[in-house]
Amino acid sequence: GRKYYKDETIWDSYEKNGVTHTIVKNKELWVVFWSKDNVDFYLSIDCQEDILYEILGSIYNAVEAD
């Protein structure tokens, strides 16, 4: 099994494209984990909360070529 160590008092979830992302704060880092098509994903980043949500949203946006 998997274990994610986190501060028990700070967590959230974020839904995008039918995928639920679990967000926790671990000391100074944001930790996000989610699963899609039997694949586990994990992101650990030190940033402001609003930037974290921008990054998560950008994962699902197509990048246009110049």
Side-chain angles (χ1 to χ4, degrees):
R2 299 174 295 246
K3 288 187 178 184
Y4 299 99
Y5 296 96
K6 60 184 173 39
D7 297 342
E8 294 295 330
T9 57
I10 302 173
W11 70 274
D12 196 6
S13 64
Y14 172 77
E15 191 275 327
K16 184 74 175 181
N17 289 4
V19 178
T20 300
H21 305 74
T22 300
I23 302 170
V24 296
K25 187 83 175 204
N26 187 0
K27 296 188 180 183
E28 300 299 318
L29 298 176
W30 289 105
V31 179
V32 184
F33 49 94
W34 67 98
S35 295
K36 184 174 180 180
D37 300 328
N38 292 323
V39 178
D40 292 332
F41 298 90
Y42 172 90
L43 173 68
S44 178
I45 189 167
D46 181 11
C47 66
Q48 295 177 355
E49 186 175 8
D50 59 329
I51 301 298
L52 172 67
Y53 286 99
E54 286 182 31
I55 291 169
L56 290 175
S58 73
I59 292 171
Y60 298 95
N61 293 334
V63 177
E64 296 181 24
D66 291 330

